[in-house]
């Protein structure tokens, strides 16, 4: 995994409502993975289960879980084909930033 934690490194307590537990997370502003620097605010492509187009998300947080795995919290982009009843004209490669967020392993990032 390369180095991480170049700037804005801090520890915070995180409460997970689903699991009803408190955990401590070590947050980072940047990290390096496979020779590529990833920073909070970067847009990244993630692997999909099939050979289709990758999922695209914007990194809003980077942190290390209790087991030492590097994780990212992503805000997802959607393609027009992902949206129902879209009424505005759109380009073939256009993406729409959503409010949908979730956590993913840094290992699933395939490109920046």
């Amino acid at each position: 995994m390369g180095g991480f934690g170049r700037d804005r490194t801090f520890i915070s307590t995180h409460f997970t409502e689903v699991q009803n537990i408190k955990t401590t997370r070590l947050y980072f502003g940047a990290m390096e993975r496979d020779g590529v620097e990833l920073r909070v605010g970067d847009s990244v492509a993630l692997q999909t289960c099939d050979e289709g187009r990758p999922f695209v998300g914007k990194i809003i947080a980077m942190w290390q879980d209790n087991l030492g795995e590097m994780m990212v919290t992503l805000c997802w982009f959607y393609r027009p084909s992902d949206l129902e009843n879209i009424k505005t004209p759109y380009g073939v490669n256009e993406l729409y930033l959503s409010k949908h967020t979730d956590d993913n392993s840094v290992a699933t990032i395939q490109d920046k």
Side-chain angles (χ1 to χ4, degrees), residues 55-58 60 73-78 96-104:
F55 297 121
V56 180
K58 184 178 189 98
I60 59 174
T73 301
L74 297 168
C75 188
W76 293 107
F77 287 95
Y78 289 113
Y96 297 91
L97 184 61
S98 73
K99 294 181 181 181
H100 174 207
T101 63
D102 63 17
D103 301 330
N104 291 268

Side-chain angles (χ1 to χ4, degrees), residues 30-43:
M31 68 162 289
E32 186 178 306
R33 178 175 183 272
D34 297 333
V36 176
E37 182 176 66
L38 300 173
R39 303 182 72 75
V40 172
D42 285 347
S43 296

Side-chain angles (χ1 to χ4, degrees), residues 34-81:
D34 297 333
V36 176
E37 182 176 66
L38 300 173
R39 303 182 72 75
V40 172
D42 285 347
S43 296
V44 293
L46 277 76
Q47 298 169 345
T48 60
C49 299
D50 56 21
E51 296 297 319
R53 292 164 60 175
F55 297 121
V56 180
K58 184 178 189 98
I59 300 172
I60 59 174
M62 302 175 123
W63 46 278
Q64 190 172 24
D65 71 10
N66 293 356
L67 302 174
E69 183 173 4
M70 287 300 296
M71 302 290 290
V72 288
T73 301
L74 297 168
C75 188
W76 293 107
F77 287 95
Y78 289 113
R79 291 181 177 85
S81 59

